[in-house]
Amino acid sequence: MDEIVNEPAVAYQKRHYTIEEYLEMEKTSTVKHEYYQGEIFAMSGATFNHNLIFSNVFGQLFFKLKGSKCIPFGSDMRMNIPGNTLFTYPDISIYCNGLMHSDFDEDTSILPTVIVEILSPSTKNYDRNKKFNLYKDIPSLKEYIMIDSESIDVQSYHINEERNWLLTEYKAITDTLIFVSMGFDMAISDIYNHILFNDRI
């Protein structure tokens, strides 16, 4: 049976939009939207677990990257992939090659080194499949990490010298997530600190 891939809901259906139109609409919108090949998609809101995992991971990254050339950003940083037109807001993105902006918009960055997505029930299949395929068009991307918000499950992809994506999975609270491209690690117990699963921490 084919796996169902839940994608963000189409927000505007009457016609295809230009990138310029999307960016202009996004300036006044109270909800974040993705743009892909003329279509605009509303992005879902975050759960309590999602927000707590973000705080745990971003806090660790901010500390570990302090003083380096790499800068972490949260989901307010819009990113564009010129090769396939996608505009989106990764939960966490790390830029190590200086901040370069989209030709269309100075508030949109391109060429991240690492992307971290915190998976929600409604979009986890999209993040693991179609969105990952779109992210593979980023020439600077070295690592893509997906953190489940409903169970202890972290999938980490890094690209090797042959340009192949290698997967490492972490499913135990005692595991340690290795950021291969960054040269440091992060305890899974720190990622899921204070998270409740079935009334357990």
Side-chain angles (χ1 to χ4, degrees):
M1 180 181 294
D2 292 336
E3 185 178 36
I4 297 174
V5 178
N6 294 316
E7 300 182 15
V10 177
Y12 303 96
Q13 298 182 353
K14 62 179 181 180
R15 62 178 173 84
H16 279 203
Y17 291 83
T18 65
I19 291 174
E20 292 84 356
E21 288 172 327
Y22 158 73
L23 291 170
E24 191 62 33
M25 296 165 71
E26 204 71 348
K27 288 179 182 178
T28 58
S29 176
T30 58
V31 178
K32 294 186 180 75
H33 298 85
E34 286 189 348
Y35 175 95
Y36 178 63
Q37 294 186 351
E39 293 187 283
I40 297 175
F41 306 86
M43 300 184 71
S44 59
T47 64
F48 177 83
N49 279 5
H50 183 289
N51 285 321
L52 187 50
I53 291 170
F54 169 83
S55 296
N56 290 340
V57 175
F58 192 82
Q60 289 270 325
L61 289 175
F62 182 83
F63 175 78
K64 291 176 182 291
L65 294 171
K66 187 175 181 180
S68 77
K69 66 178 182 178
C70 299
I71 307 173
F73 290 92
S75 60
D76 284 336
M77 173 62 82
R78 185 169 55 234
M79 182 198 72
N80 172 232
I81 307 174
N84 59 37
T85 77
L86 179 69
F87 283 79
T88 189
Y89 299 82
D91 289 318
I92 297 173
S93 50
I94 302 174
Y95 292 80
C96 296
N97 303 307
L99 285 177
M100 289 174 276
H101 304 294
S102 164
D103 291 339
F104 293 94
D105 176 51
E106 64 179 12
D107 293 324
T108 302
S109 293
I110 60 173
L111 301 177
T113 303
V114 178
I115 293 176
V116 180
E117 294 285 14
I118 301 166
L119 306 182
S120 66
S122 62
T123 63
K124 65 170 58 179
N125 289 331
Y126 169 61
D127 287 335
R128 286 172 173 163
N129 294 279
K130 183 173 181 178
K131 199 168 192 180
F132 184 26
N133 285 329
L134 294 174
Y135 283 164
K136 289 176 182 177
D137 288 335
I138 304 172
S140 61
L141 190 66
K142 296 181 179 179
E143 212 155 358
Y144 180 46
I145 297 169
M146 291 169 283
I147 303 172
D148 198 290
S149 62
E150 294 193 306
S151 64
I152 298 172
D153 186 3
V154 177
Q155 295 182 332
S156 176
Y157 286 89
H158 74 274
I159 196 164
N160 65 11
E161 294 180 355
E162 289 75 37
R163 304 295 298 174
N164 295 317
W165 287 95
L166 305 180
L167 169 64
T168 305
E169 293 190 81
Y170 305 87
K171 293 181 177 291
I173 197 67
T174 54
D175 286 343
T176 300
L177 168 64
I178 300 172
F179 283 76
V180 177
S181 64
M182 297 288 100
F184 57 70
D185 54 36
M186 187 179 298
I188 297 297
S189 58
D190 287 337
I191 293 174
Y192 287 102
N193 189 33
H194 298 304
I195 297 293
L196 293 172
F197 297 121
N198 298 323
D199 299 324
R200 295 183 293 109
I201 294 180

